[in-house]
Each structure stands twice: as structure tokens, then as C-alpha cells.
Amino acid sequence: MLNALRIKNFRNLEHLEIRQLGRVNLIVGSNNIGKSSLLEALRILAGGASSRLLRDLLQYRDELFYMAGEAEEEGDFLPLENLFSGRKFPEDDTQIFIGDPEQSAHQIQMQFGVLGIDVMQDATGLNLPASVRQKFIPMPDCASAEFDEAEFALRISKNGMAHIVSGSRMEAARMRERRLAGALPTTPCAWISSKTLSLDELAEIWDRVWLNPEHKESIAQALRIIAPEFRDLLFVQDPKRARPGRIPMVSLEGQSRPFPLNSMGDGMARVLQLAMKIFAARGGMLLIDEFENGLYYKIQRQVWEMLFDLAQALDVQIFATTHSFDCVNHFAAVAQNRPETGAMLLKLGRSILPEQNGAIVAIEMDAPKLAAMTDAEIEVR
């Protein structure tokens, strides 16, 4: 579990320091202040910054796109440029850093440079194979290097392992990855976006959960927050889908036939997603973007109680974002009643200190401080 978090040079988080984290963390702040970027940084840390993960993050924000007709003489670039502060590669050797500053096993660095095919020759005077002669040179050392061919790349390192991600403008959709050692270590991580529910992914999780009666009952109890008459859940094949896939069906007390879960409203789908994804995150992290989506404000306290209990039981660290004052109030109440879990509210905002030049900073509030502020109806978002 992360006890603290430092993020440097990642998107609009130029130097964010969070000195204390809890097992359950709620992130608030205005639009475009970095809440979603913080969740992305945690996904990169947990997932070892694989080329597939980085591509998915960029695709989610439509950042693999570039204007048709851009001149090729502008040179190759990596769409990963969007991940750096200022949306441009640094001119010096500044790296992206994400992790717990006190735990080296929970740190990842992303360094910009050039991956080139070296002009060096072997002892016989013959050029070595290109795959052997590939060499990564970090900025700003590239100016003095000589290559037969070269392209921009990122060297990504974590816990003594490293790999290089490269790819030109035209190959953005399939970034290449070259391992320099074994695969970077990863941590279980489940992400819940603010967008459309992935039923296929949930069906896969359900297949793993279904054989454990205790886990199955936890999900049933979660769904009864929305529908007390809920009895059972099953994923079944949908013959009308363009490609093979399954949809969730629910059986209810007093009803003679099952119903599609989606016919019961967004709340049922959202609670199912929360309850199932936390099992997929066992021993790792659950990341929730816009927690309140689809949840009526009166049931949010019960949903938080469920997540606090399961986070403790499954050894999961939760990070969630919200814009909702009701969500903050319910979070504060549950955090106060479950001090053994450990909860923190993290408010992101821009520093007013002249020397920090408007940088994004975090204000940390533990359960007692948060409860006092919400009881006094002080705005904490």
C-alpha cells in the first residue's frame, strides 16, 4: 500500500506531493485540476507503464489523433509527448516520476530520449545487426550521438527493471516495446471510468467470483442497496450482439422471470461494477473516476460502507474522484465510523505562493478534520 505519493512532470501535475495516504482516498477539486491525471499516474505505476497501457490511456483521451496533412518534415514524435507537463518533451533530462518517495519498490520513472541504431562496427569491420546495435540515449546527450537511424523513445524503469517504448507518428496505434530485462513488476489494479460500463470485462470477473460463495454474497448484498428484492445474478449469452458477448440478468423476489440488469437503471450497473471490480483489485488498487455517477445521493453512504469493509478485507487501496458535496459528506461520515480503515480526503488546487507559480498542490484531510469541516458545512470541494 502507498503511504505517500509524489508525481513529477506528469501532465498538469508538475510536482505534486501528498505526504499521507489512507486505505480509502477521495480526491476533490475543480475541473482540469488533475484529478483524472492522478488516477492515470496510479494506473501507470501499477501497470508498469506497458506500451499497451500507455496506448490505452492516450486512446481514452483521443490523444493518438493528429491533424491529417501535417508535414512529415516536422519529424517523428511519440503521442506519449502528451504525458509530459506542458504536452511537450523536456529539453533537458527531466523525467516523469510517479511513486511513494519512501518505497523504492513503488516508484516508476519515464525518461525521454532517442532510440537509435548505432554506427559502431564489430571487430571484423562488419556492421552488427540493427537489433544488436540499438541504443537509448537520454536527453540532452542526443546532440553528440551519431546514428544510422533514430526515433524518439521513452526509457521506463521500475524496481531495477526497464523497457523502452518507441513509435513514430504513423505507428501511434501500435507503439513498440523493447525489454531491457525482465518484465516490469505490476500491482493488481482495477479502474472504473466515468464512461460506459464494460459488460464483457465484468463477465470475466464474475466467472472468477462465482465459485466463491462469500464473494458472491458480498456482491448480492451490494445490489440489494439498490433493489432489496434482488435474489440472484447470471451472465448469459446475448445472441443479438454483433460479436459474442454476455449480458447480466437478475432474478427478483416475486418475479417469475429474470430481467436484464441494465433495465433497472444506471444505479444497479454502477453498484455491480464497484462491487465486482474491488475483487479484481485484491491486494492492489481500485481507481474510481467520478464515484457518484449513477448513484442516488441517499444510497451513497451504504455504497461507501461496502467499499470500506471490502477494502479492509481484500487489502485494497481505493482512490476515487468526485464533484459531489453529498458524496463528500457520506464519505466523511463513514470514515469517522470506521477509523481502523484509514481514510483521507485530498483536495487539489493551485498554490497561491509566488515561488510555486500556480502549481497544483494537495491539501490532506484525515477523518477527524474532514468530519469537523463537513459538520460546520465548510466547503471542502
Side-chain angles (χ1 to χ4, degrees), residues 20-27 304 317-321 331 342-346:
Q20 182 180 356
L21 293 171
R23 179 170 294 280
V24 184
N25 304 274
L26 183 61
I27 306 158
W304 275 124
Q317 189 169 26
I318 296 176
F319 295 86
T321 70
F331 174 83
M344 293 290 295
L345 183 130
L346 310 171

Side-chain angles (χ1 to χ4, degrees), residues 160-181:
M161 303 293 186
H163 65 242
I164 293 173
V165 174
S166 61
S168 67
R169 180 193 308 269
M170 300 305 295
E171 295 175 321
R174 60 175 190 88
M175 297 172 190
R176 300 186 298 277
E177 181 174 321
R178 177 191 173 204
R179 291 183 183 177
L180 303 180

Side-chain angles (χ1 to χ4, degrees), residues 202-249:
L202 288 184
E204 293 176 6
I205 299 172
W206 178 251
D207 289 343
R208 299 194 296 269
V209 169
W210 185 81
L211 293 177
N212 188 314
E214 183 179 348
H215 296 174
K216 187 177 177 181
E217 181 55 28
S218 293
I219 293 173
Q221 290 176 6
L223 292 175
R224 291 187 187 112
I225 295 173
I226 303 288
E229 70 277 20
F230 172 83
R231 186 172 61 190
D232 205 354
L233 169 73
L234 186 66
F235 281 81
V236 300
Q237 193 72 33
D238 181 5
K240 303 183 190 66
R241 291 184 63 176
R243 60 184 182 85
R246 294 182 292 165
I247 61 172
M249 302 290 290

